[in-house]
Amino acid sequence: MAPIKKPQQQLQRTYLREWREFNNLSQEAAASRLNISRTLLSKIERAKSPYTQQFMENAAVAYGCNVPDLIVRNPLVKDSVWSIQDQLLKADPATQKQIIDFAKYILSQVKTGT
């Protein structure tokens, strides 16, 4: 009996390319920072080759973000919730509290339908 060929699992999309572009890095420069070949970086960015945990940790350091950001967050979208959060984190504590309190107020109005 012939062996049964397993279906190839599709790799999940990441935002590695977007984070590289956000940091104005070419594939060559990013690959050098990550100590891998440009070809391998290209394959990982296009979900043609799997990445390792170590690769993602190195990429997060190289791109100035966190590992989960590389998977779920497109830094090129300027008006996303993520961008607002980044700005909030840069604000002084008093301003942060005001903004958070205001956001909570707005959300409470949405919940009650007023």
Side-chain angles (χ1 to χ4, degrees):
M1 193 164 144
I4 298 172
K5 187 175 180 181
K6 291 182 182 178
Q8 191 172 16
Q9 184 178 1
Q10 179 65 33
L11 297 174
Q12 187 176 8
R13 185 204 197 296
T14 67
Y15 290 98
L16 288 160
R17 179 181 55 82
E18 289 82 356
W19 276 100
R20 176 178 55 76
E21 291 173 356
F22 180 75
N23 284 281
N24 297 314
L25 293 171
S26 66
Q27 277 189 336
E28 291 279 341
S32 177
R33 282 188 185 188
L34 297 168
N35 201 29
I36 62 173
S37 71
R38 186 205 59 77
T39 305
L40 179 56
L41 178 58
S42 175
K43 287 179 181 177
I44 294 171
E45 285 183 353
R46 293 179 292 124
K48 301 297 181 194
S49 183
Y51 53 79
T52 64
Q53 179 69 28
Q54 188 63 55
F55 169 82
M56 294 300 274
E57 290 175 10
N58 293 344
V61 170
Y63 299 155
C65 63
N66 297 309
V67 172
D69 293 336
L70 298 170
I71 298 170
V72 300
R73 181 177 175 194
N74 183 345
L76 301 177
V77 178
K78 302 295 182 205
D79 291 332
S80 70
V81 172
W82 311 109
S83 296
I84 295 168
Q85 180 186 17
D86 287 345
Q87 294 173 46
L88 177 63
L89 292 173
K90 292 176 187 174
D92 62 86
T95 303
Q96 286 181 5
K97 181 171 179 1
Q98 285 179 322
I99 293 169
I100 291 169
D101 289 346
F102 185 66
K104 286 179 180 177
Y105 170 75
I106 292 171
L107 291 172
S108 73
Q109 298 304 303
V110 171
K111 289 179 185 175
T112 61
T114 57

